[in-house]
Amino acid sequence: MLTTMTLAAAEEPSRGWGGPIALGLVLAVYIAGATLHDWWMRTRGLPSPTDGDDPGVSVNPQVSAVSDTDDTGRDTGWWGRLITLPDGRRVRSTAPAALVDEELDLDLDGAQDEEEPATIEDVVGTMLDRGHPYAEIVRAIMEEFEVSEATAKRRIRDVRAERIAAAS
């Protein structure tokens, strides 16, 4: 019994080339058979069931083709028209279109609207009136006017001091 176990342990398991060769032969036979079958069907004039336009079954279409040329505007629809708000958002509105076209609205009296750039004090005053938190005001001033944190805080203190002086 010991010799049998020793001999069994001494043999190395080897798979050989039998499996891959058999798979290759099966693949070659399949390709050859499919090619011969295709050649046979074509020489006899027997078409493939998928060739041809008529499937042999009549189909009644449930929908008729309709040309949609009545409304070609892309900003209109069943539920209103799309408008662009000043902040850039597009929303659907059922209100009638404006009588004045903003693109063609010309300023005929010659007055040009040249606004002065807002100062730090104006922006701080507006944000204080709207009730923005102190940290948000500091951050907004630093980003918009590109000033340091100390300068932004100093300007906020100045505006608050002016308001207190004006109120008393």
Side-chain angles (χ1 to χ4, degrees):
M1 179 162 189
L2 183 61
T3 56
T4 307
M5 290 174 57
T6 306
L7 289 174
E11 288 187 28
E12 294 182 16
S14 63
R15 303 185 96 173
W17 287 94
I21 291 173
L23 287 174
L25 287 174
V26 168
L27 184 65
V29 169
Y30 177 79
I31 290 173
T35 304
L36 285 174
H37 176 71
D38 185 50
W39 173 78
W40 176 262
M41 295 296 280
R42 289 182 193 274
T43 57
R44 296 289 180 190
L46 303 172
S48 171
T50 57
D51 292 342
D53 300 328
D54 187 21
V57 178
S58 63
V59 177
N60 295 332
Q62 300 292 319
V63 193
S64 60
V66 176
S67 173
D68 184 20
T69 56
D70 296 335
D71 183 18
T72 58
R74 61 182 266 261
D75 287 346
T76 61
W78 289 349
W79 300 284
R81 60 187 180 87
L82 292 176
I83 59 172
T84 304
L85 297 178
D87 62 355
R89 292 183 300 143
R90 291 178 57 90
V91 295
R92 191 165 296 281
S93 171
T94 56
L99 298 176
V100 177
D101 189 3
E102 288 81 16
E103 293 179 6
L104 298 177
D105 188 15
L106 303 175
D107 188 12
L108 298 178
D109 61 358
Q112 298 286 331
D113 290 333
E114 295 181 15
E115 295 182 13
E116 295 181 13
T119 63
I120 294 178
E121 289 79 12
D122 294 338
V123 173
V124 169
T126 305
M127 292 183 82
L128 285 173
D129 292 341
R130 291 182 184 167
H132 289 280
Y134 180 77
E136 186 178 329
I137 297 172
V138 171
R139 182 188 52 78
I141 296 299
M142 288 174 58
E143 288 178 2
E144 186 173 343
F145 295 99
E146 298 177 358
V147 296
S148 67
E149 183 178 356
T151 302
K153 289 180 178 181
R154 184 174 55 250
R155 295 291 177 92
I156 294 170
R157 281 194 307 267
D158 294 344
V159 170
R160 285 182 174 172
E162 288 176 14
R163 288 182 172 213
I164 291 172
S168 21

